[in-house]
Amino acid sequence: KSQSNINQSVVINDGKILKIGDAKEINEKYLPKKVFAAEGKLILPGFINTHCHLFQTFMRGLGKDLPFIQWMNNSVRLMMPNMDEEAIYLAAMVGCLESIRSGMTTIVDFMYAHVKPRYSDYVLQAFVDCGVRGVLARGMTDVDRLPGSPVRPASYATAAQSFAEVDRTRAIYADNPNISFMLAPSVIWGMTFEGLKEISQYAKKNKMMVTMHILETVDDDQHSMEKYGKSTMRVLEDAGILETDFLGVHAIRVSQDDISLFKQYDVKISYNPLANMILGSGVAPIVDLSKAGIKISLGTDGAASNDSQNLIEVMRAGALLQKAHQCDSAALSAWEVFSMATDQGAECINMADKIGTIEEGKQADVIVVDLQKANTTPCYDPIASLVYSGSSENISAVIVNGEVIFDKGHFLKINEMEILERAQKKAEELYKNSLSKN
């Protein structure tokens, strides 16, 4: 917000930010192996997406303008049971490509499409191939029937079976600094109480975060009251889930009791405004949650609902939705929503010591932003310009763990057009096959 950081240079070594200082002094002190020129541009922390479903990029545009359960039946439940390893990988790659183009350096993928064993491996491979920092939130569903469906969920597995897969993948990527893991029970009506208790115990034992869809619609509390005689958050408290490092996703139908529990257990929230608007789910009380001291991050959600994996769009929509809902133009500022995409996002996934800000000693997850574009000229406040009129066009470069993975419109680790062509062909085959089986 000040002019003190103009003409600064950032020295990166061994994946970390070694030094930040005056460009002239830096040039005199260090002899770099490589100089990345960013004159006239912003150097910002990379954006953090705390909730998406990468496999859903193959479901863009399906089930639009339908109520929640009908949308599910015409998109996710239609396609997911027929996805194979190649479809999972290509869908994840497409989502990563779009994410990186919008300045995203960290993606939390809530991966619940476990129709067959080891599907997580293909999302993890996409993370590695793209070079992004990836958090695999291993989805879990252990109930025999989901609302509106007469058959067992395609992703059904016992908690023990899911834990075995988590153990296996964590061991494979134990030495990869860009890959980490969470547990992701689907939603209150997609889990048994015993399954939730087992997740709580496993998470505490293995010091893992838990993330879950909560209070996205009235269905959560209706189900909880009918089955348990209490609210969803009280059920999660009883199961021990709130005693873990817990990231709740959506949090729209929130009561004062829920907010009290969020505060008591230091629950973090992933705000997904675009998906919430598209599905007509409502408006999360972000202003009230923030005032209560609850940490808020941003999520794109899956492309089956949002249709996009662009976090710049989410920042803009997130701020505007709160302004309109509160009838207050100051309800959520550009700087506040930018914080949700960066430093608060890092806090919400327990990575504030590594990413989220540009500081000496932190991982070099940074983006180069060019505001000398027609959509952001003239520019008076760089963050306001980026949030309210910015687009992927303004993202000049993306650096993760010190490695340049995107520069001037080109991906440096992968052939983008080859991936897109393969994805288009595969998605068409999958859709045709799904319709024939329905």
Side-chain angles (χ1 to χ4, degrees):
K1 295 184 179 182
S2 70
Q3 301 299 310
S4 61
N5 56 356
I6 290 178
N7 296 324
Q8 299 278 293
S9 284
V10 178
V11 180
I12 296 172
N13 186 54
D14 195 25
K16 293 185 177 182
I17 298 171
L18 180 64
K19 184 70 177 178
I20 304 170
D22 177 76
K24 183 179 179 181
E25 294 178 6
I26 291 288
N27 290 337
E28 291 174 352
K29 184 175 180 181
Y30 294 93
L31 184 63
K33 291 181 179 179
K34 181 179 179 181
V35 175
F36 191 89
E39 290 87 357
K41 299 180 177 65
L42 290 176
I43 301 176
L44 298 175
F47 301 141
I48 299 165
N49 182 3
T50 60
H51 185 74
C52 69
H53 310 288
L54 290 174
F55 78 92
Q56 288 186 9
T57 59
F58 268 30
M59 300 158 199
R60 294 185 201 269
L62 297 179
K64 294 293 105 171
D65 308 323
L66 294 173
F68 184 80
I69 297 298
Q70 292 182 45
W71 159 76
M72 285 282 289
N73 289 337
N74 285 274
S75 59
V76 179
R77 290 178 183 171
L78 172 69
M79 298 274 276
M80 190 179 82
N82 303 307
M83 294 190 83
D84 58 18
E85 291 87 348
E86 184 185 21
I88 295 288
Y89 173 75
L90 290 171
M93 285 292 284
V94 170
C96 286
L97 292 176
E98 184 182 7
S99 299
I100 293 166
R101 279 192 174 276
S102 73
M104 225 180 288
T105 54
T106 299
I107 301 172
V108 179
D109 182 43
F110 194 118
M111 172 52 178
Y112 64 87
H114 294 284
V115 177
K116 296 178 183 177
R118 305 200 171 199
Y119 271 16
S120 291
D121 298 58
Y122 298 92
V123 175
L124 292 163
Q125 189 60 53
F127 287 154
V128 172
D129 290 350
C130 290
V132 76
R133 188 177 300 282
V135 182
L136 195 289
R138 213 288 183 181
M140 300 175 66
T141 300
D142 73 341
V143 296
D144 277 333
R145 297 290 184 271
L146 292 173
S149 177
V151 298
R152 172 178 277 191
S155 56
Y156 170 86
T158 65
Q161 289 170 329
S162 297
F163 296 150
E165 278 293 287
V166 173
D167 290 339
R168 183 185 62 81
T169 49
R170 287 179 71 202
I172 292 171
Y173 289 92
D175 297 326
N176 189 319
N178 286 359
I179 302 295
S180 55
F181 296 85
M182 293 183 186
L183 300 176
S186 55
V187 68
I188 193 66
W189 32 268
M191 292 296 304
T192 63
F193 187 75
E194 283 305 313
L196 290 170
K197 286 174 63 178
E198 289 180 68
I199 288 170
S200 170
Q201 292 162 6
Y202 181 94
K204 293 171 187 174
K205 179 181 177 181
N206 292 277
K207 298 180 180 178
M208 292 180 67
M209 287 197 69
V210 176
T211 184
M212 184 177 183
H213 301 99
I214 58 166
L215 308 175
E216 183 175 4
T217 66
V218 295
D219 298 316
D220 282 22
D221 275 345
Q222 285 180 356
H223 168 84
S224 297
M225 291 302 298
E226 290 173 6
K227 187 167 185 177
Y228 302 106
K230 57 184 66 178
S231 72
T232 295
M233 298 313 299
R234 288 295 176 183
V235 174
L236 294 181
E237 181 186 34
D238 290 348
I241 293 292
L242 299 190
E243 296 173 0
T244 69
D245 282 327
F246 185 67
L247 173 66
V249 181
H250 298 304
I252 296 170
R253 308 290 179 167
V254 173
S255 68
Q256 282 303 126
D257 184 58
D258 294 330
I259 294 177
S260 296
L261 286 173
F262 293 166
K263 290 174 63 177
Q264 179 182 344
Y265 290 99
D266 192 25
V267 170
K268 285 84 171 176
I269 298 298
S270 178
Y271 173 38
N272 292 235
L274 275 171
N276 299 156
M277 286 191 281
I278 288 172
L279 293 178
S281 301
V283 182
I286 297 302
V287 173
D288 292 340
L289 294 174
S290 294
K291 286 179 179 177
I294 295 160
K295 294 298 180 185
I296 311 291
S297 58
L298 297 179
T300 58
D301 210 345
S305 56
N306 181 349
D307 297 287
S308 165
Q309 297 294 285
N310 187 323
L311 210 69
I312 299 174
E313 291 180 356
V314 172
M315 282 194 286
R316 184 169 190 260
L320 297 186
L321 181 59
Q322 294 299 317
K323 296 173 190 293
H325 185 63
Q326 298 283 337
C327 297
D328 178 5
S329 62
L332 187 61
S333 71
W335 280 92
E336 287 169 328
V337 80
F338 174 75
S339 170
M340 294 175 185
T342 53
D343 58 296
Q344 279 195 74
E347 289 188 59
C348 285
I349 59 174
N350 282 353
M351 290 192 187
D353 60 328
K354 297 179 180 178
I355 59 174
T357 57
I358 299 178
E359 296 181 60
E360 293 174 6
K362 285 194 174 184
Q363 301 300 130
D365 287 15
V366 299
I367 58 176
V368 180
V369 179
D370 184 0
L371 295 178
Q372 292 183 322
K373 302 283 186 179
N375 61 317
T376 47
T377 298
C379 175
Y380 304 107
D381 180 332
I383 300 304
S385 290
L386 178 62
V387 170
Y388 294 128
S389 56
S391 71
S392 294
E393 179 186 6
N394 299 104
I395 305 301
S396 177
V398 177
I399 300 170
V400 178
N401 204 38
E403 180 182 14
V404 181
I405 64 172
F406 179 79
D407 186 24
K408 300 181 181 68
H410 299 286
F411 291 88
L412 304 188
K413 293 174 67 69
I414 50 175
N415 185 325
E416 180 183 18
M417 190 49 62
E418 178 189 350
I419 293 294
L420 298 181
E421 288 173 353
R422 287 174 58 194
Q424 179 67 34
K425 181 180 179 181
K426 185 66 179 180
E428 290 176 1
E429 293 174 357
L430 176 65
Y431 184 56
K432 183 178 180 180
N433 183 39
S434 298
L435 287 176
S436 68
K437 292 182 177 180
N438 196 34

